[in-house]
Amino acid sequence: DQQVKQNSPSLSVQEGRISILNCDYTNSMFDYFLWYKKYPAEGPTFLISISSIKDKNEDGRFTVFLNKSAKHLSLHIVPSQPGDSAVYFCAASWRVRGAGNQFYFGTGTSLTVIP
Amino acid sequence: KAGVTQTPRYLIKTRGQQVTLSCSPISGHRSVSWYQQTPGQGLQFLFEYFSETQRNKGNFPGRFSGRQFSNSRSEMNVSTLELGDSALYLCASSPFGQATAGELFFGEGSRLTVL
């Protein structure tokens, strides 16, 4: 059962424009959400996160929006640059008593920024 | 500060064999998790170890096992390899305990090919 879903396997955007990557989740117990970026032959690297008590978090060109009622989050990249071309994974976590944080990942969206 | 180190980076095995992968977490991190990444499936959670104890386990058959040593280094083992076990195996470490949500730090992965 996929608790975190990224329904767009790929996205192409012109350099300088906005990239919007979407993610949906089903488990209302998730209290922390993250985005990771992955280049080929490398491990995922942490990009930005947001706590469930917030609806927006911004870090430079990257902004994550959380809509808890819709169980939806999105990552905005403005302006998009060719170096942003990578696979982006959405992740969600919740704390289980005695078992730490459990993480669930989406299937990824491959972003291509066209120069 | 050294990152998460995984060895070997690449390996080829044949069906029926077994394989052991190693992971050294970031110094001071006590939690180590393992994920399997296959095309179209995203990152599938295998298991998590904290202070030498398996704290969480994903939905994988018993052929997949792991352990953690007193220095927090971890190994995972896959016995009786099947073609479908071909994947990128990612190790992630975290400094966060039960009370704090935070991100995972990933290694570059071990690419396993089963022939």
Side-chain angles (χ1 to χ4, degrees):
Chain A
D1 179 30
Q2 195 75 23
Q3 298 193 39
V4 177
K5 299 178 183 179
Q6 293 176 259
N7 293 318
S8 298
S10 62
L11 175 69
S12 291
V13 172
Q14 287 290 136
E15 181 179 3
R17 306 294 290 270
I18 183 172
S19 295
I20 300 177
L21 294 90
N22 294 303
C23 178
D24 297 296
Y25 61 95
T26 58
N27 190 342
S28 58
M29 297 296 291
F30 289 142
D31 58 8
Y32 196 67
F33 303 88
L34 312 92
W35 285 94
Y36 281 83
K37 177 179 179 180
K38 185 180 184 301
Y39 293 116
E42 294 184 12
T45 54
F46 170 73
L47 195 56
I48 191 169
S49 63
I50 186 168
S51 164
S52 61
I53 61 174
K54 295 184 176 181
D55 55 19
K56 177 183 174 182
N57 189 26
E58 194 171 351
D59 184 2
R61 297 186 296 113
F62 303 91
T63 303
V64 56
F65 295 92
L66 176 63
N67 182 335
K68 288 189 294 294
S69 60
K71 293 190 175 66
H72 178 84
L73 71 155
S74 61
L75 174 68
H76 292 208
I77 306 174
V78 183
S80 301
Q81 299 174 354
D84 296 330
S85 297
V87 176
Y88 289 78
F89 289 97
C90 169
S93 73
W94 63 300
R95 275 161 283 174
V96 178
R97 182 185 294 275
N101 297 298
Q102 293 201 12
F103 289 82
Y104 295 83
F105 285 81
T107 51
T109 296
S110 178
L111 172 66
T112 301
V113 180
I114 304 164
Chain B
K1 200 174 190 181
V4 178
T5 304
Q6 291 187 245
T7 57
R9 290 291 313 278
Y10 303 91
L11 66 166
I12 300 173
K13 294 284 187 178
T14 56
R15 279 181 297 174
Q17 287 188 310
Q18 67 93 27
V19 66
T20 299
L21 309 178
S22 179
C23 172
S24 293
I26 292 172
S27 178
H29 288 195
R30 294 167 63 191
S31 168
V32 174
S33 303
W34 289 89
Y35 290 83
Q36 180 195 65
Q37 185 193 3
T38 54
Q41 293 296 315
L43 277 67
Q44 302 290 309
F45 173 70
L46 282 154
F47 26 66
E48 184 230 357
Y49 287 87
F50 183 82
S51 294
E52 301 181 65
T53 302
Q54 186 180 88
R55 195 162 59 169
N56 293 298
K57 189 177 189 305
N59 189 26
F60 276 80
R63 300 185 297 107
F64 293 81
S65 63
R67 59 178 175 169
Q68 186 180 34
F69 302 96
S70 59
N71 60 358
S72 293
R73 190 177 70 84
S74 177
E75 288 181 347
M76 68 162 282
N77 183 277
V78 188
S79 62
T80 319
L81 283 166
E82 301 176 359
L83 295 179
D85 297 332
S86 295
L88 180 67
Y89 290 88
L90 292 160
C91 170
S93 72
S94 170
F96 301 105
Q98 172 73 24
T100 308
E103 67 265 30
L104 297 172
F105 296 80
F106 283 90
E108 294 187 313
S110 292
R111 170 72 65 182
L112 170 65
T113 301
V114 182
L115 302 176

